[in-house]
Amino acid sequence: MANIKLDNVNKWFDDKHIIKNVSLNINSGSFTVLVGPSGCGKSTLLRMIAGLETINEGTISIDKNVVNDLEPKKRSVAMVFQSYALFPYMTVFENIAFGLTIEKRPKNEIKERVYETAKILQIEDLLKRKPKQLSGGQKQRVAIGRAIIRKPKVFLFDEPLSNLDAALRVQMRVEIARLHDQIGATMVYVTHDQTEAMTMADEIVVLDKGEVSQIGKPLNLYKNPANEFVGGFIGSPKMNLIDSKISKKSSKGFEIDFMNSINLNVQGSVDKIQIGENIRLGVRPEDLSVNSGNFKSWKGKVIIVERLGSSTFLYVEKEGEPLIAETKGESKINVGDIVEVGFDPAKCHVFNSDGLLISSY
């Protein structure tokens, strides 16, 4: 196991600033997920830790040793790629053993460690097959096996499940999490899928345009987003973001003119806000109530219904983007129905015009 520290790391490709002053401290034995939209720099950051990309400024340390100028093979890291990167002419045994073969380890040691690795990944019966004879999930296990056998201090995963179907992704998420518990190594995992991030991570690093937007435990990011970007990115379906403005303020909080028809009283700091200021309300789908009569509400037309069994999501017509409300799985509401939608002001997030959080429950 090893800790990883990034200190003011920067990366340019020509004149394009890809990674911007990123500082991270990844604890030894943790499972850290780098998440963000396509093009945010997460894979580049992972490749810099691996030594596959140079850095222009800053330092990267593994186990308190600066590794900026170390070759990848000397960093005690192993990387699992999105494309599996298996040798098609080699058997599964030979693919897993490749790193040890290059190191010219004794044949008995190689055989013992291959079988040990295959047992961990439950692929003992696949060792004589070629990659073309394997399913996507089996190929991914082999790619992971090739990393495990080297017994590195750090495992790096670059969107390893993106080529798999939905059911297999869920299965492999469970297996990678189990593997982490079993071997206890430091793991850094890149994905654009925030569901993967929420279900697998000890800690999530949210990246936006090459910068760290927020770092925290999954539920903390979900409940306490530091800004509008994190609030909208973490969660599925995503947080509803509604344009509004401050109509009044007092020592205890402020009043919001909501959809030009409802005044909502919200508690929070008023030091840095002004009357008339444009803000955005963030409300999770599960915090919107439908036809409950419990809160101030407005009427809207249902334009999409998604029935998922345990819950139903209603897309309710609003000016611009529709609001998404979660209801019971057995809901009888259909497309075209008019519903009353409301929410408890105590369960909303308020973001200022710069997208920064100014009030949260």
Side-chain angles (χ1 to χ4, degrees), residues 38-74:
S38 297
C40 71
K42 54 190 183 294
S43 289
T44 299
L45 200 59
L46 195 75
R47 291 174 63 85
M48 291 162 73
I49 295 172
L52 301 177
E53 292 285 355
T54 58
I55 68 173
N56 297 118
E57 290 180 0
T59 59
I60 297 176
S61 302
I62 298 176
D63 243 1
K64 299 182 181 180
N65 298 313
V66 175
V67 298
N68 289 26
D69 299 322
L70 278 185
E71 298 175 63
K73 65 181 181 181
K74 294 182 180 179

Side-chain angles (χ1 to χ4, degrees), residues 6-53:
L6 283 71
D7 190 13
N8 292 319
V9 170
N10 286 270
K11 176 68 177 179
W12 283 267
F13 287 119
D14 297 324
D15 61 347
K16 192 171 183 181
H17 200 175
I18 303 297
I19 301 296
K20 305 170 184 175
N21 297 313
V22 169
S23 293
L24 296 174
N25 192 8
I26 298 172
N27 293 324
S28 178
S30 66
F31 195 121
T32 299
V33 175
L34 309 181
V35 68
S38 297
C40 71
K42 54 190 183 294
S43 289
T44 299
L45 200 59
L46 195 75
R47 291 174 63 85
M48 291 162 73
I49 295 172
L52 301 177
E53 292 285 355

Side-chain angles (χ1 to χ4, degrees), residues 81-146:
F81 297 92
Q82 177 182 347
S83 61
Y84 314 135
L86 301 180
F87 297 109
Y89 53 87
M90 291 184 179
T91 64
V92 168
F93 183 103
E94 291 166 337
N95 266 283
I96 294 175
F98 181 74
L100 300 185
T101 304
I102 292 297
E103 293 175 4
K104 297 182 179 180
R105 297 292 183 90
K107 289 185 178 180
N108 287 342
E109 179 188 348
I110 292 174
K111 183 177 180 180
E112 181 180 342
R113 287 175 61 175
V114 168
Y115 278 99
E116 177 187 347
T117 300
K119 186 176 181 180
I120 291 173
L121 296 167
Q122 300 175 3
I123 53 173
E124 303 103 307
D125 57 339
L126 304 178
L127 292 175
K128 294 181 180 180
R129 295 188 189 182
K130 298 284 183 67
K132 66 180 180 181
Q133 298 172 297
L134 304 177
S135 67
Q138 290 168 339
K139 289 178 183 177
Q140 192 56 271
R141 285 188 185 90
V142 177
I144 294 171
R146 193 168 55 191

Side-chain angles (χ1 to χ4, degrees), residues 144-270:
I144 294 171
R146 193 168 55 191
I148 290 174
I149 199 168
R150 294 178 51 211
K151 297 183 178 180
K153 294 179 179 179
V154 175
F155 286 87
L156 306 176
F157 294 86
D158 190 7
E159 303 201 46
L161 309 185
S162 59
N163 291 331
L164 306 180
D165 62 49
L168 195 51
R169 281 203 304 271
V170 173
Q171 180 184 342
M172 288 301 300
R173 284 206 308 260
V174 172
E175 293 190 11
I176 291 174
R178 179 183 60 81
L179 177 66
H180 175 253
D181 289 339
Q182 188 171 349
I183 65 178
T186 305
M187 292 187 175
V188 185
Y189 186 103
V190 159
T191 181
H192 64 273
D193 184 337
Q194 53 82 37
T195 301
E196 279 184 25
M198 290 289 290
T199 55
M200 300 176 74
D202 298 328
E203 189 166 66
I204 296 175
V205 179
V206 184
L207 293 169
D208 180 27
K209 298 176 182 176
E211 297 180 285
V212 175
S213 194
Q214 191 174 355
I215 303 172
K217 294 188 179 301
L219 285 181
N220 186 53
L221 294 187
Y222 185 81
K223 292 182 177 180
N224 302 293
N227 52 59
E228 186 179 317
F229 173 79
V230 175
F233 189 81
I234 298 293
S236 181
K238 67 180 184 177
M239 176 185 285
N240 295 291
L241 293 166
I242 308 160
D243 291 323
S244 188
K245 63 174 55 180
I246 305 295
S247 57
K248 294 180 181 178
K249 66 177 186 175
S250 67
S251 59
K252 294 183 179 180
F254 44 90
E255 191 172 281
I256 293 172
D257 179 13
F258 181 66
M259 297 182 71
N260 298 315
S261 60
I262 299 172
N263 291 322
L264 297 174
N265 293 306
V266 178
Q267 291 187 350
S269 173
V270 297

Side-chain angles (χ1 to χ4, degrees), residues 336-353:
D337 289 351
I338 303 298
V339 296
E340 287 193 356
V341 181
F343 66 92
D344 183 352
K347 290 189 176 181
C348 71
H349 307 266
V350 183
F351 304 100
N352 65 17
S353 56

